[in-house]
Amino acid sequence: MKSHRRDGESQGPGPPPSPSQQLLGVLSTGPLKVVFLVLASLCAWYSGYLLAELIPDAPLSSAAYSIHSIGERPVLKVPVPKRQKCDHWTPCPSDTYAYRLLSGGGINKYAKICFEDNLLMGEKLGNVARGINIAIVNYNSGPMIKFIQSAPPKSLLFMATYDDGSTRLNNDAKNAIEELGSKEIKNMKFRSSWVFLAAKGFELPSEIQREKINHSDTKNNRYSGWPAEIQIEGCVPKEPS
């Protein structure tokens, strides 16, 4: 026999409320709700107090900078290299002398000769002359030959051109310099840049840089009418062989 429910008739009791619903029902009452809010406020205050104790004291700007600098690469400062004698990049051995020969370049770039960090010839000394300079000598061939011949045995001779060293260079002067070991003196042309290290009365080690030349070329000149300056440098043994 089938039965049916009429509208308005009761369906009977529903399922019992869950524990969480029962707790919310209890807290919804006035006094207990106030107690719950007070306890929640105390927990929030204590949590903030503990967080403040754990964070170190630091200005906000420092904290912001620390956050900003996260991930940045550290900056490495390269030490300033120590100055070496005659401005060499590396020091000479203790049993050698440092030297550097720099030819003139153009009309305003003067020749320079440095030996053991002492400037023997240069613009600051006012002893640079047009032509071939051998320390502090005139560019004329006559005085230059006498200077070379008067150099005592076991002497070093440093030579560098300024402006032009070929015009007044006669054959006797060329021969005198060639006898000292120059291979380029007879190839010198008008306004060639040239430097040469000579040893009188002894032999220099074969690995020492002794001579260099740069000819004037209107297409490749660095300066108007003059080639670029050139230089040689090295370390000479203190005890000549």
Side-chain angles (χ1 to χ4, degrees):
M1 182 177 180
K2 298 182 179 180
S3 61
H4 62 277
R5 178 180 59 83
R6 295 180 180 177
D7 295 340
E9 291 182 352
S10 174
Q11 298 182 6
S18 65
S20 60
Q21 291 176 334
Q22 294 178 0
L23 178 61
L24 290 174
V26 173
L27 293 177
S28 63
T29 60
L32 292 178
K33 185 176 182 180
V34 173
V35 173
F36 176 76
L37 293 175
V38 172
L39 291 175
S41 300
L42 290 175
C43 291
W45 173 84
Y46 188 69
S47 299
Y49 171 78
L50 290 178
L51 183 62
E53 289 295 324
L54 293 175
I55 297 177
D57 295 334
L60 292 178
S61 59
S62 300
Y65 175 79
S66 299
I67 296 174
H68 177 71
S69 61
I70 294 176
E72 292 184 354
R73 295 181 179 180
V75 179
L76 301 178
K77 294 184 178 180
V78 179
V80 178
K82 181 181 178 182
R83 183 187 176 278
Q84 305 299 333
K85 293 179 179 179
C86 293
D87 294 325
H88 282 201
W89 282 105
T90 56
C92 283
S94 58
D95 58 344
T96 63
Y97 294 114
Y99 72 90
R100 169 174 283 184
L101 306 180
L102 178 67
S103 73
I107 195 63
N108 296 318
K109 297 290 185 177
Y110 291 83
K112 184 183 295 184
I113 293 177
C114 176
F115 180 73
E116 250 331 79
D117 217 24
N118 294 311
L119 185 63
L120 304 182
M121 186 189 74
E123 181 182 6
K124 293 182 179 180
L125 300 178
N127 58 356
V128 180
R130 182 174 181 269
I132 297 178
N133 290 267
I134 307 176
I136 49 173
V137 299
N138 193 281
Y139 60 80
N140 290 326
S141 296
M144 182 173 63
I145 296 174
K146 292 181 181 179
F147 180 84
I148 294 175
Q149 292 175 344
S150 64
K154 294 189 177 181
S155 296
L156 291 172
L157 292 88
F158 301 91
M159 306 183 189
T161 57
Y162 167 63
D163 190 2
D164 173 58
S166 65
T167 302
R168 298 190 181 184
L169 190 66
N170 60 29
N171 290 330
D172 291 337
K174 292 180 180 179
N175 292 334
I177 296 175
E178 188 177 47
E179 290 176 359
L180 293 173
S182 173
K183 297 180 180 179
E184 297 289 351
I185 188 62
K186 291 187 176 180
N187 297 326
M188 188 180 296
K189 302 176 183 179
F190 179 66
R191 288 182 175 174
S192 293
S193 294
W194 175 75
V195 289
F196 177 53
L197 167 62
K200 186 176 181 180
F202 67 99
E203 293 293 330
L204 290 171
S206 58
E207 67 272 11
I208 285 183
Q209 190 177 17
R210 300 183 57 183
E211 190 174 22
K212 199 171 184 179
I213 193 169
N214 187 20
H215 299 297
S216 178
D217 185 346
T218 55
K219 294 183 179 179
N220 300 318
N221 282 342
R222 176 178 294 179
Y223 309 100
S224 178
W226 287 271
E229 61 271 35
I230 55 175
Q231 73 174 21
I232 60 175
E233 64 182 32
C235 307
V236 180
K238 291 183 177 180
E239 295 295 331
S241 57

